[in-house]
Amino acid sequence: MANPVDFYFDFSSPYGYFAAAQIDALAAKHGRCVNWRPILLGAVFKVNGQQPLPNIPMKGSYALRDMLRCARLQALPFRVPTKFPINSIAPCRAFYWQDAQDPVLAKQLALALYHAYFAEDLDISSPEITCNVAARLGIAPPALAAALNDATVKERARNAVDAAIARGVFGSPYMIVDSEPFWGADRLDQMERWLDKGPW
């Protein structure tokens, strides 16, 4: 069986949101599954000296326009959140906790959290709001709230982020296909060609 696509993303990344809406269907066309792996860009930025896109002069204002254009192109509901960017520790831990129990539901949770943030302007950096979004999928808020502060869950999320950085992941979204990295939602077309035709 072909290797899965590794999909790295941060819940505060609009381009991660755009990629998340497409990645599973795109990979499935070529007989691949996808490993979803949330990261924390804050941890990445400490390593490589980057800063959040909205904070970069000129590039930040362009990016805000580009995000809206990309969303229109994909016909995805989108608004620039009131609080942007955010610390995504709560949704990241929520994902890894759920993934250990039910990977399919974990992906659904990731998509629901992305929608809550970028379509509904809900601040998912709040553990309470993350739990409320999870409740829509039948995930018990008390269990999730406890998990967000559980040492094992914290370590699992931290190890996942450290492993991503060790693989050279520096942005969101970041996809790896058979050791070949692709950075950015605008590289999904190249990734699909790689899946279809192989290396060039």
Side-chain angles (χ1 to χ4, degrees):
M1 184 175 180
N3 293 327
V5 174
D6 288 325
F7 172 48
Y8 296 91
F9 61 96
D10 187 299
F11 282 104
S12 71
S13 165
Y15 295 104
Y17 170 56
F18 302 148
Q22 309 173 63
I23 190 78
D24 273 358
L26 188 156
K29 284 171 55 179
H30 304 282
R32 305 282 186 121
C33 61
V34 182
N35 289 331
W36 287 45
R37 304 184 185 278
I39 61 170
L40 299 173
L41 283 177
V44 173
F45 292 168
K46 288 179 181 178
V47 175
N48 64 15
Q50 288 178 264
Q51 59 179 314
L53 191 55
N55 298 348
I56 302 174
M58 295 184 287
K59 188 176 182 180
S61 57
Y62 166 82
L64 292 174
R65 186 183 188 102
D66 183 61
M67 294 167 197
L68 293 167
R69 185 172 59 225
C70 289
R72 292 195 301 269
L73 184 64
Q74 284 186 234
L76 277 178
F78 179 82
R79 66 178 81 172
V80 178
T82 302
K83 185 178 179 182
F84 177 65
I86 55 169
N87 181 320
S88 56
I89 288 176
C92 182
R93 289 178 183 169
F95 176 92
Y96 282 114
W97 172 73
Q98 187 60 59
D99 186 60
Q101 305 168 73
D102 185 340
V104 173
L105 185 55
K107 286 186 182 184
Q108 295 172 4
L109 176 60
L111 289 169
L113 288 164
Y114 258 142
H115 186 275
Y117 185 48
F118 286 111
E120 302 176 70
D121 194 15
L122 296 178
D123 179 9
I124 60 172
S125 68
S126 160
E128 180 180 1
I129 292 177
T130 285
C131 290
N132 290 344
V133 173
R136 301 174 182 177
L137 301 174
I139 299 169
L144 178 53
L148 295 180
N149 291 303
D150 182 83
T152 301
V153 174
K154 290 180 180 180
E155 183 178 14
R156 185 180 300 133
R158 183 168 54 250
N159 289 344
V161 173
D162 289 345
I165 292 171
R167 291 192 78 183
V169 175
F170 60 83
S172 171
Y174 194 100
M175 292 73 64
I176 299 178
V177 179
D178 300 333
S179 300
E180 185 69 17
F182 297 88
W183 170 49
D186 57 348
R187 289 296 181 267
L188 287 174
D189 57 342
Q190 288 191 16
M191 190 190 84
E192 182 167 23
R193 176 168 176 158
W194 195 276
L195 288 168
D196 185 36
K197 306 292 186 183
W200 65 83

